[in-house]
């Protein structure tokens, strides 16, 4: 089992990194030929950074759009962020101080995350128009995340596993020195789903995470009269 | 027009999200462009007899667009189906057709994108909602991408700024490439190339109309206000939507533009070559057409030797001018091809190039160069409709949101009675008139009436509560759409008019002081 998970995580990491890199390069390489920020938009690069910060950290546009989705989306994402921070302790030795400080918050964040996910999923069944736009993969993605959250919480509160051994396993992975993983069904499910998520990430709607930074309606400054935007392919047109 | 009578949807007591009614708008389809119309723009005349040929051409072009437009590429990947946009489109609100939900509209294209351009769609089409491009899919695109006004309201509320207008434009480009163009828009683009404006008004007719207008204004005011065409050496070139030359109530704003320049003592001219500010290249998402249409303005400015370029009351024209002219033609700062360099030398750097007529008027008001008799507008209780392309696509003045303040400032400067509609229906959240983006044709009148519902509800509120009897606008398409549609909702067409119509009513022309 340890070997299986070791191979799985190497493969998942490789796919995640390579897949994401390919996507990001694709986004970055594609020119934005026209200035299309959704106004009222900042007129300076510094303003753009501030707008993007508000989008990424506070989900500003979603807040304007729908309070329910915003609340559940925020619960899930903030929960996830804290949980991820908490999990850093499995990959660092000695554990960084700020990670140590975040530990208790990370614990309850797991509940926040699960509740947010459950709410988001419920919408997909209960709200007619959201049901209409949901695909099988939307459900699958929520299922994966929810299973990860629930098995994680389960290991914390119901059936403990030997986290010292888990940590040794992951530290070992990072040194290409495969240690044995504790025998624990909850842990297996948890890790398997995490790896699955890493693998589908670059091929799914999870691309919204890097995508948001490349969205021209949000990352462009509103200064077309002062600064000329010209894509290379458009510049070619000027030659004839 | 013959056919069943269109009924406006009932006003809702509390604006609620409609129940979805699948395919309730599937019957509605614009006329398809003829081979001749298509040919003039360099698109295939009609769908190929062999479907495979069309299929391959469309998929190939889709690949090219994905390489050319970051917006499309990111928007195809980033949507999480969160649903924030689902109840934001006036067409969904008015029709209940779920394919008029912005995300569902995008999905019509995205499903095909996934099938041909993503591993998941290639391997597990059913799982991720991917589908082959079939003739039925193409028809569906034609239906629903011509039921979008590219108003961008959905993009305000999307956490990733996904702009359905960009997706719509890409889809329309694909339809054109397939030989499946829309008659209304493509015919107009043909006219702008052939005659110089969207309405096909030739130079002599234009001069004739404007001479008549000078006489009317003289009769009315006793002043020699001029409406010149092709006057070399004028300071300002005014480019306005051609509806402003004769349609009601558009012409009243034209009268206003002339009076403003007259009162301020600024020489100006129209151009018979660029007698159109509208740029329908935007609606069909075709960069080359958009550029070609915009270049006429640069040529006219160079020929006439003007120092400033000003755009009249038109929403998408202002977006094209403000946001795209610099990129497309070098009107603005920073371009370095020979024509643009010459133009930079010629244009006066103290002014924003191009400027909106509202920026010009507001500047003059602030400098104290215009005087008004505000009481002349006292018979009007005025509200203001923010037009989509101005509100969400372009700006005025030099700070974010200037496009909301400047027209309102002008109205307050020329009239005593002004009230805004509900805050969630104005500014960046403004509701589309229901007629923009190339859907202002007779075939789609049912869609236009239904799509106007949210705006009509907000209007009704201020009519009932404040006695509003005038809705001021700065968009030619909004004016045409509203004058046609408001009677369905029990209002009078005469309550629609331009901001410069209000200016025109109140302005003092100098000789009466
Ligand atoms: S751009 Fe406007 S018309 Fe088109 S989907 Fe979005 S809200 Fe609807
Ligand atoms: S708001 Fe944006 S991410 Fe959400 S469903 Fe609409 S387009 Fe997709």
């Amino acid at each position: 089992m340890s070997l299986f998970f070791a191979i799985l995580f190497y493969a998942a990491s490789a796919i995640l990194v390579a897949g994401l890199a390919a996507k990001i390069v694709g986004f970055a390489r594609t020119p934005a030929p026209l200035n299309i920020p959704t106004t009222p938009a900042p007129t300076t690069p510094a303003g753009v950074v501030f707008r993007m910060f508000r989008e990424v950290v506070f989900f500003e546009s979603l807040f304007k759009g729908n309070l329910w989705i915003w609340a559940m989306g925020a619960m899930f994402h903030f929960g996830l962020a804290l949980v991820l921070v908490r999990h850093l302790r499995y990959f660092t030795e000695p554990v960084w101080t700020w990670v140590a400080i975040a530990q208790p918050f990370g614990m309850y964040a797991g509940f926040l995350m699960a509740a947010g996910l459950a709410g988001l999923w419920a919408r997909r069944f209960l709200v007619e128009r959201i049901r209409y736009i949901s695909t099988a993969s939307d459900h699958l993605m929520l299922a994966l995340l929810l299973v990860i959250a629930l098995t994680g919480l389960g290991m914390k509160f119901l059936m403990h596993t030997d986290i010292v051994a888990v940590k040794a396993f992951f530290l070992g992975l990072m040194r290409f020195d495969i240690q044995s993983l504790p025998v624990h069904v909850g842990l297996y499910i948890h890790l398997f789903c995490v790896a699955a998520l890493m693998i589908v990430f670059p091929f799914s709607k999870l691309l919204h995470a890097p995508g948001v930074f490349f969205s021209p309606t949000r990352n462009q400054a509103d200064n077309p009269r002062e600064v000329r935007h010209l894509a290379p392919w458009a510049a070619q047109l000027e030659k004839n | 027009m013959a056919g069943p009578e269109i009924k406006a949807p009932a006003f809702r007591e509390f604006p609620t999200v409609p129940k979805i009614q699948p395919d309730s708008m599937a019957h509605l389809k614009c006329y398809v462009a003829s081979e001749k119309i298509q040919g003039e723009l360099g698109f295939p005349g009609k769908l190929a007899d062999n479907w495979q040929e069309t299929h391959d051409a469309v998929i190939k072009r889709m690949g090219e667009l994905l390489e050319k437009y970051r917006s499309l590429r990111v928007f195809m990947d980033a949507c999480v189906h969160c649903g924030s946009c689902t109840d934001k489109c006036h067409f969904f609100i008015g029709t209940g057709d779920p394919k008029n939900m912005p995300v569902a509209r995008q999905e019509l294209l995205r499903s095909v994108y996934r099938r041909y351009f993503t591993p998941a769609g290639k391997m597990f089409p059913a799982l991720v909602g991917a589908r082959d491009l079939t003739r039925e899919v193409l028809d569906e695109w034609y239906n629903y991408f011509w039921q979008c006004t590219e108003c961008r309201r959905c993009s305000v509320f999307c956490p990733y700024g996904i702009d359905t207008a960009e997706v719509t434009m890409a889809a329309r480009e694909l339809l054109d490439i397939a030989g499946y163009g829309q008659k209304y828009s493509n015919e107009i683009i043909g006219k702008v190339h052939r005659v110089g404006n969207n309405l096909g008004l030739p130079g002599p007719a234009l001069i004739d109309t404007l001479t008549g207008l000078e006489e009317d204004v003289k009769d009315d005011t006793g002043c020699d206000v001029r409406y010149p065409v092709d006057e070399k050496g004028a300071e300002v070139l005014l480019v306005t939507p051609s509806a402003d030359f004769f349609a009601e109530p558009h012409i009243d704003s034209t009268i206003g533009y002339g009076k403003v320049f007259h009162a301020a003592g600024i020489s100006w001219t129209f151009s018979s070559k660029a007698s159109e500010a509208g740029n329908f290249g935007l609606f069909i998402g075709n960069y080359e057409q958009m550029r070609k249409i915009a270049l006429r303005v640069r040529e006219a400015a160079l020929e006439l030797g003007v120092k400033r370029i000003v755009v009249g009351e038109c929403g998408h024209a202002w977006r094209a001018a403000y946001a795209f002219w610099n990129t497309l033609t070098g009107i603005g700062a920073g371009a370095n091809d020979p024509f643009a360099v010459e133009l930079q030398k010629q244009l006066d750097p103290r002014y924003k190039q191009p400027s909106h007529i509202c920026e010009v008027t507001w500047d003059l008001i602030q400098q104290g160069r215009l005087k008004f008799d505000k009481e002349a507008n006292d018979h009007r209780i005025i509200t203001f409709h923010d037009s989509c392309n101005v509100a969400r696509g372009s700006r005025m003045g030099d700070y974010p949101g200037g496009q909301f303040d400047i027209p309102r400032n002008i109205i307050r400067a020329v009239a005593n009675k002004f009230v805004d509609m509900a805050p969630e229906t104005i500014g960046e959240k403004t509701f589309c008139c229901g007629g923009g983006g190339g859907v202002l044709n007779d075939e789609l009148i049912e869609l236009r009436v239904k799509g106007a519902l949210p705006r009509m509800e907000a209007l009704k509120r201020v009519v009932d509560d404040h006695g509003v009897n005038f809705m001021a606008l700065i968009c030619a398409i909004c004016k045409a759409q509203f004058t046609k549609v408001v009677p369905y909702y029990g209002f009078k067409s005469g309550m629609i008019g331009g901001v410069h119509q209000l200016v025109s009513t109140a302005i003092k022309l100098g000789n009466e002081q």
Side-chain angles (χ1 to χ4, degrees):
Chain A
M1 243 354 184
S2 304
L3 188 65
F4 169 77
F5 274 105
I7 295 169
L8 183 63
F9 270 92
Y10 283 134
S13 306
I15 291 171
L16 177 70
V17 171
L20 263 188
K23 270 291 175 189
I24 290 173
V25 168
F27 289 159
R29 229 197 35 204
T30 310
L34 292 167
N35 190 247
I36 58 165
T38 305
T39 58
T43 55
T44 60
V48 167
V49 171
F50 184 50
R51 178 188 209 175
M52 197 53 96
F53 174 81
R54 298 195 313 265
E55 262 332 320
V56 173
V57 178
F58 301 119
F59 306 168
E60 185 182 30
S61 296
L62 187 57
F63 183 78
K64 285 187 213 163
N66 186 308
L67 270 181
W68 276 107
I69 310 179
W70 177 83
M72 291 180 294
M75 268 160 67
F76 158 57
H77 282 91
F78 287 124
L80 177 66
L82 283 170
V83 167
L84 285 177
V85 165
R86 182 173 150 91
H87 277 65
L88 278 179
R89 69 182 163 149
Y90 295 110
F91 302 90
T92 51
E93 184 57 48
V95 173
W96 303 330
T97 324
W98 64 276
V99 174
I101 293 171
Q103 290 306 312
F105 301 105
M107 219 162 76
Y108 297 105
F111 288 106
L112 208 61
M113 179 179 158
L117 283 169
L120 288 172
W121 206 357
R123 276 179 55 83
R124 295 215 177 271
F125 292 106
L126 301 177
V127 183
E128 195 189 26
R129 57 183 203 285
I130 310 293
R131 192 164 62 227
Y132 180 89
I133 60 168
S134 299
T135 62
S137 61
D138 293 326
H139 291 286
L140 205 69
M141 221 69 78
L142 283 163
L144 262 183
L145 282 160
L146 201 59
V147 169
I148 292 171
L150 293 178
T151 46
L153 285 170
M155 280 183 283
K156 175 70 210 162
F157 294 102
L158 297 176
M159 19 167 223
H160 294 276
T161 183
D162 180 358
I163 59 167
V164 176
V166 173
K167 177 163 183 171
F169 175 78
F170 278 102
L171 285 175
L173 272 190
M174 289 161 67
R175 294 189 317 260
F176 298 101
D177 165 18
I178 294 160
Q179 307 284 316
S180 65
L181 206 54
V183 178
H184 188 285
V185 183
L187 178 68
Y188 289 169
I189 298 175
H190 188 73
L191 292 182
F192 185 79
C193 287
V194 170
L197 200 66
M198 288 164 73
I199 291 167
V200 298
F201 201 107
F203 308 103
S204 68
K205 66 174 186 175
L206 302 180
L207 285 170
H208 68 281
V212 61
F213 295 98
F214 290 94
S215 177
T217 58
R218 296 290 182 266
N219 75 5
Q220 289 183 337
D222 181 20
N223 56 4
R225 287 190 285 194
E226 293 76 26
V227 181
R228 192 177 197 213
H229 297 255
L230 196 65
W233 64 261
Q236 287 301 319
L237 297 176
E238 312 229 310
K239 302 224 167 82
N240 351 333
Chain B
M1 252 205 3
E5 201 190 324
I6 310 298
K7 265 192 61 171
F11 290 122
R12 300 159 303 167
E13 179 120 26
F14 302 102
T16 42
V17 184
K19 276 202 83 58
I20 63 175
Q21 299 168 35
D23 296 329
S24 60
M25 294 305 279
H27 61 285
L28 205 64
K29 192 167 161 166
C30 312
Y31 296 147
V32 178
S34 67
E35 287 190 47
K36 181 169 167 292
I37 294 173
Q38 286 288 96
E40 276 182 1
L41 306 190
F43 296 131
K46 57 184 180 52
L47 287 171
D49 296 328
N50 170 358
W51 167 251
Q52 194 60 36
E53 209 176 294
T54 303
H55 170 278
D56 296 350
V58 168
I59 297 300
K60 174 164 169 276
R61 184 69 178 160
M62 194 178 214
E64 287 165 12
L65 292 180
L66 287 163
E67 294 290 317
K68 283 172 116 178
Y69 289 91
R70 182 184 290 166
S71 50
L72 186 65
R73 200 185 183 98
V74 172
F75 296 165
M76 285 296 106
D77 279 339
C79 174
V80 294
H81 295 169
C82 72
S84 176
C85 61
T86 46
D87 55 349
K88 301 304 186 289
C89 178
H90 51 289
F91 286 134
F92 174 63
I93 296 173
T95 69
D97 190 320
K99 288 184 186 135
N100 276 328
M101 297 191 290
V103 46
R105 196 188 310 287
Q106 297 159 24
E107 211 65 20
L108 300 177
L109 190 70
R110 196 179 277 125
S111 55
V112 173
Y113 158 78
R114 282 205 200 96
R115 183 75 179 112
Y116 295 86
F117 297 95
T118 71
K122 283 177 188 158
M123 291 185 287
F124 316 105
L127 179 72
V128 295
R131 43 180 201 167
D132 290 330
L133 178 64
T134 60
R135 179 61 213 266
E136 290 68 43
V137 169
L138 206 66
D139 285 334
E140 201 178 30
W141 286 2
Y142 194 83
N143 273 323
Y144 289 99
F145 285 114
W146 283 108
Q147 294 192 22
C148 168
T149 43
E150 300 178 353
C151 76
R152 312 179 84 218
R153 187 167 196 266
C154 42
S155 85
V156 169
F157 302 98
C158 173
Y160 319 110
I162 295 177
D163 181 0
T164 312
E166 291 287 310
V167 179
T168 293
M169 286 189 272
R172 291 181 182 178
E173 166 94 357
L174 295 175
L175 287 164
D176 271 324
I177 289 300
Y180 203 176
Q182 186 222 34
K183 175 169 180 266
Y184 173 74
S185 295
N186 287 358
E187 196 169 46
I188 281 179
I189 295 175
K191 267 189 228 155
V192 99
H193 293 319
R194 257 182 292 116
V195 195
N197 56 58
N198 291 357
L199 296 171
L201 196 65
L206 181 63
I207 293 170
D208 218 46
T209 312
L210 291 171
T211 315
L213 195 61
E214 284 181 0
E215 284 161 17
D216 293 348
V217 175
K218 172 89 178 174
D219 288 348
D220 239 36
T221 65
C223 270
D224 288 306
V225 180
R226 301 206 47 227
Y227 295 88
V229 181
D230 291 336
E231 236 165 58
K232 284 216 160 94
E235 182 177 346
V236 168
L237 167 64
L238 180 68
V239 194
T240 206
S242 47
D244 281 4
F245 295 128
F246 62 88
E248 291 277 356
H250 311 60
I251 186 98
D252 298 299
S253 281
T254 307
I255 296 173
Y257 310 150
K259 288 183 180 174
V260 166
F261 290 124
H262 177 92
I266 297 171
S267 68
W268 69 287
T269 186
F270 288 122
S271 152
S272 56
K273 172 176 265 171
S275 53
E276 174 65 63
N279 191 330
F280 274 43
L282 178 65
F283 296 160
I284 61 166
N286 185 279
Y287 191 96
E288 287 77 9
Q289 284 297 336
M290 211 161 45
R291 177 164 182 270
K292 204 167 152 202
I293 293 167
L295 279 173
R296 292 154 45 251
V297 178
R298 176 170 92 176
E299 283 163 25
L302 282 168
E303 268 171 35
L304 296 171
V306 296
K307 301 257 172 298
R308 305 166 66 179
I309 304 177
V310 174
V311 179
E313 293 182 356
C314 181
H316 84 274
W318 177 236
R319 184 177 188 213
Y322 168 86
F324 306 150
W325 273 3
N326 194 4
T327 299
L328 297 169
T329 72
I331 300 174
N336 52 16
D337 70 290
F339 290 108
V341 169
E342 199 185 324
L343 190 67
Q344 298 320 316
K345 279 200 222 123
Q346 179 189 312
L347 295 178
D348 187 336
R350 288 174 304 166
Y351 299 101
K352 292 200 163 37
Q353 308 285 1
S355 301
H356 191 279
I357 185 72
C358 284
E359 293 180 310
V360 174
T361 301
W362 178 235
D363 274 351
L364 293 169
I365 293 174
Q366 283 177 302
Q367 293 167 27
R369 287 169 67 188
L370 300 178
K371 297 278 174 285
F372 299 100
D373 168 19
K374 290 173 87 165
E375 279 67 40
N377 272 315
D378 272 358
H379 58 296
R380 292 171 173 148
I381 302 171
I382 302 158
T383 193
F384 179 70
H385 165 72
D386 289 283
S387 297
C388 306
N389 275 285
V390 180
R392 289 183 282 265
S394 47
R395 182 162 53 93
M396 289 179 202
D398 41 23
Y399 61 94
Q403 74 271 37
F404 308 132
D405 298 343
I406 289 177
R408 287 177 172 79
N409 291 346
I410 296 175
I411 296 172
R412 288 201 178 91
V414 305
N416 287 313
K417 301 172 190 165
F418 175 78
V419 280
D420 253 324
M421 290 180 276
E424 66 280 7
T425 72
I426 58 170
E428 79 208 71
K429 297 180 182 169
T430 187
F431 274 109
C432 179
C433 65
V439 311
L440 191 76
N441 54 44
D442 291 340
E443 309 95 272
L444 292 184
I445 188 70
E446 179 187 351
L447 179 80
R448 289 166 52 193
V449 169
K450 291 179 173 171
L453 176 70
R455 175 40 84 226
M456 292 297 108
E457 287 175 329
L459 177 63
K460 173 104 168 100
R461 189 92 66 82
V462 285
V463 167
D464 290 349
D465 295 354
H466 302 279
V468 161
N469 60 10
F470 193 90
M471 180 156 69
L473 315 162
I474 47 171
C475 174
I477 287 178
C478 293
K479 287 175 195 169
Q481 155 77 352
F482 280 138
T483 44
K484 173 99 188 190
V485 156
V486 293
Y488 288 90
Y489 288 92
F491 303 114
K492 291 209 179 67
S493 290
M495 76 181 302
I496 307 302
V499 166
H500 277 77
Q501 179 175 348
L502 301 172
V503 172
S504 174
T505 306
I507 195 165
K508 295 185 181 177
L509 291 175
N511 59 338
E512 64 268 73
Q513 283 138 341

